[in-house]
Amino acid sequence: MEPPPEHCPGTESELAGKAASCAGCPNQEICAAANPKPDPDLEVIAKSLSGVKHKILVFSGKGGVGKSTVAANLSWFLAADDRNQIGLMDVDICGPSIPKIMGLEREKVHRSNTGWSPVYVEDNLAVMSVGFLLPSQKESVIWRGAKKNGLIKQFLKDVEWGDLDYLVIDTPPGTSDEHISLAQYLSATGRIDGAVIVTTPQEVSLMDVRKEIMFCRKVNIPILGVIENMSGFICTKCHKETKIFPATTGGVDSLSKEFDVPVLGRLPLDPRIAKACDNGESFMDLDIPAVQSYHNIVSEIKRACHSDTNTPSENVPS
């Protein structure tokens, strides 16, 4: 399914499905329905997630910027405080890499009369991914929008998340049908704390992040901030930093000023992080700069989640 048009009025607007910009959008007929039937599952989702205090979406405008790596490690670092219960939900349906990064490749979902049980990587860190449902790691997911949306809905209403302090949701790249569905389904829970948007420094990534920011504002998802991943390469021998991806247009600092969004932090390009992810391990115990960077970013996210000001900005550039 195609992403929403550039000037989409948003699913909650009175012009949804009726504006000129809606012409040709695959969702036009649904949005334009005069009296759409209420989805009975929204009430079920609200009840299922009633024990979740904070919901964080991890977005990226473009694939390959390390979004899933960031989502996984944010979950690890949030779970470092054993007073917190953390959930990590992987709805990157066509590219579910969370099981690999978390060391859970061979795990399967347990089903009962009351729902699906997530897989626990730690006592306080639960994970759910479509990767647990596939017959093999090589199996591809070739689904249309309706089936993808159905699985997302199941993850929200049928998984026994229990009481969580933070639910981190790893989404596909871009602004596709899955993102629209998440915005609609999670709106039933009363509050989405916000989105963390992951980018790399170069303009080819930032140009898609601008679209992601506009999407968030159209569907009323607060933006917690932007993370610049692969900000610089850290040599494991001399420990000096080299800018592999130059910020030719100013990087996240320029983006932050343009759209009035906070920069949560910068993460280095470090081969030791890649090795830890390939091995399905946390790198929190390593003496590398990224550890402190993640701790700082997690502190900023916690602060934003507990603030009453993380609401969508109306300051949209023309």
Side-chain angles (χ1 to χ4, degrees):
M1 183 173 284
E2 296 296 323
E6 182 180 356
H7 299 292
C8 170
T11 57
E12 304 299 323
S13 170
E14 292 182 359
L15 296 176
K18 302 172 185 177
S21 60
C22 298
C25 176
N27 297 315
Q28 183 178 13
E29 185 176 343
I30 299 172
C31 293
N35 295 297
K37 295 181 180 178
D39 187 346
D41 285 330
L42 294 183
E43 190 174 327
V44 180
I45 289 171
K47 183 177 180 180
S48 176
L49 298 183
S50 61
V52 179
K53 294 179 182 176
H54 302 288
K55 295 172 283 292
I56 301 167
L57 299 166
V58 182
F59 287 164
S60 71
K62 186 175 292 296
V65 300
K67 167 189 57 60
S68 294
T69 297
V70 170
N73 283 297
L74 287 178
S75 302
W76 278 117
F77 278 79
L78 283 166
D81 184 348
D82 57 15
R83 296 171 298 179
N84 288 333
Q85 293 293 323
I86 311 300
L88 172 59
M89 187 170 79
D90 179 11
V91 296
D92 192 348
I93 294 172
C94 293
S97 52
I98 289 297
K100 175 70 174 177
I101 298 172
M102 304 301 288
L104 301 172
E105 283 184 288
R106 300 186 184 279
E107 296 293 335
K108 297 295 180 185
V109 172
H110 299 286
R111 305 182 187 185
S112 66
N113 292 334
T114 56
W116 294 356
S117 298
V119 177
Y120 282 83
V121 64
E122 298 284 352
D123 289 342
N124 66 332
L125 178 52
V127 181
M128 177 57 77
S129 169
V130 68
F132 299 146
L133 307 176
L134 301 177
S136 76
Q137 298 169 19
K138 298 179 182 179
E139 192 77 18
S140 60
V141 178
I142 309 173
W143 291 355
R144 292 188 183 273
K147 193 167 184 180
K148 290 180 180 179
N149 294 343
L151 183 67
I152 292 171
K153 187 180 283 187
Q154 276 194 289
F155 278 5
L156 293 172
K157 73 183 182 70
D158 293 339
V159 174
E160 298 176 315
W161 291 109
D163 293 332
L164 295 178
D165 292 282
Y166 297 92
L167 176 62
V168 179
I169 303 176
D170 181 30
T171 69
T175 54
S176 58
D177 201 31
E178 294 95 319
H179 303 80
I180 298 172
S181 295
L182 275 169
Q184 292 175 336
Y185 298 156
L186 289 175
S187 66
T189 67
R191 175 186 171 105
I192 304 173
D193 286 86
V196 171
I197 303 177
V198 182
T199 184
T200 48
Q202 70 272 41
E203 177 60 23
V204 73
S205 177
L206 294 173
M207 62 189 294
D208 287 337
V209 170
R210 294 185 181 93
K211 299 171 186 175
E212 198 80 45
I213 291 172
M214 297 301 288
F215 168 82
C216 288
R217 289 175 172 170
K218 286 172 182 175
V219 298
N220 295 317
I221 296 176
I223 299 171
L224 299 179
V226 181
I227 294 174
E228 186 176 84
N229 196 26
M230 309 182 200
S231 185
F233 169 72
I234 303 295
C235 177
T236 58
K237 300 297 183 182
C238 68
H239 307 297
K240 290 185 178 180
E241 182 180 19
T242 302
K243 298 296 183 182
I244 302 294
F245 303 116
T248 54
T249 57
V252 292
D253 289 329
S254 175
L255 186 80
S256 173
K257 293 177 182 177
E258 181 182 357
F259 285 92
D260 190 25
V261 295
V263 176
L264 293 173
R266 294 170 173 79
L267 297 169
L269 182 63
D270 192 320
R272 292 164 292 191
I273 298 176
K275 183 178 179 181
C277 291
D278 280 350
N279 292 336
E281 301 169 348
S282 168
F283 61 85
M284 279 190 294
D285 294 332
L286 298 181
D287 184 17
I288 59 175
V291 171
Q292 188 57 53
S293 297
Y294 267 105
H295 279 304
N296 293 342
I297 289 170
V298 164
S299 294
E300 288 297 312
I301 290 174
K302 285 182 175 180
R303 182 194 60 77
C305 284
H306 289 86
S307 169
D308 291 330
T309 60
N310 61 329
T311 53
S313 171
E314 298 299 326
N315 184 23
V316 181
S318 58

